[in-house]
Amino acid sequence: MTNLLENNIEGEIGTQKYLCTIFWRNGKLLMDEPESVGGRDIGPDPFSTFLASLAGCTLSTLRMYIDRKEWNIPEIKISLNLHPETNTELETTISRTITFSGEVSDEQKERLLIIADKCPISKLLKGNITINTTL
């Protein structure tokens, strides 16, 4: 099995409740929980970070496509949220709203919707995921 990332994402937590330091290729990211659940809101919570990954991937994928097509769309905005539903199984819906500056034709919108779903994180989330955990 070949790893996608050249270096593992690593993290650590000390005694400060919920404050995690996540180390990635060239730096670190602080993650925390909101004050409403006992954190200090020093950084994004895990759900926000998760959605930020989808946002960044979607925006980058759309930008690459728009640039390749030489369409005049100078700005792309995205808004995401999670909607967990608990019945017999946990099911979560992600709402993703994408808007563009300038005029975008209906044909372009149809194509950009398809391209948004082709971003690697979207494809990963729609596939089967196995998490192998060791101690």
Side-chain angles (χ1 to χ4, degrees):
M1 181 180 342
T2 304
N3 290 331
L4 177 68
L5 303 177
E6 57 193 58
N7 297 317
N8 289 349
I9 300 296
E10 298 186 357
E12 60 186 40
I13 189 169
T15 58
Q16 185 172 331
K17 192 175 186 178
Y18 304 130
L19 180 62
C20 301
T21 304
I22 308 300
F23 299 93
W24 56 282
R25 190 176 57 253
N26 293 320
K28 65 181 178 178
L29 166 70
L30 295 179
M31 292 179 63
D32 200 359
E33 291 288 341
E35 291 178 359
S36 61
V37 295
R40 293 182 51 206
D41 215 6
I42 293 172
D45 62 272
F47 290 110
S48 296
T49 306
F50 170 74
L51 288 178
S53 295
L54 179 57
C57 186
T58 303
L59 291 168
S60 296
T61 301
L62 289 171
R63 174 51 59 207
M64 285 187 288
Y65 185 81
I66 288 166
D67 289 351
R68 190 170 65 240
K69 290 291 188 177
E70 298 181 351
W71 291 343
N72 183 22
I73 303 174
E75 188 175 55
I76 311 162
K77 292 186 179 183
I78 193 166
S79 176
L80 297 105
N81 213 323
L82 287 170
H83 309 279
E85 299 170 18
T86 50
N87 297 328
T88 55
E89 293 183 39
L90 179 65
E91 185 175 318
T92 301
T93 301
I94 297 173
S95 65
R96 174 172 59 179
T97 303
I98 303 166
T99 56
F100 305 96
S101 62
E103 292 294 318
V104 181
S105 72
D106 288 341
E107 289 176 9
Q108 288 173 318
K109 286 179 184 177
E110 284 179 35
R111 188 67 192 145
L112 291 169
L113 186 58
I114 292 167
I115 297 302
D117 278 337
K118 290 184 184 276
C119 96
I121 298 297
S122 287
K123 288 170 34 176
L124 179 99
L125 292 171
K126 291 180 179 185
N128 293 324
I129 298 174
T130 301
I131 301 174
N132 296 319
T133 304
T134 59
L135 296 176

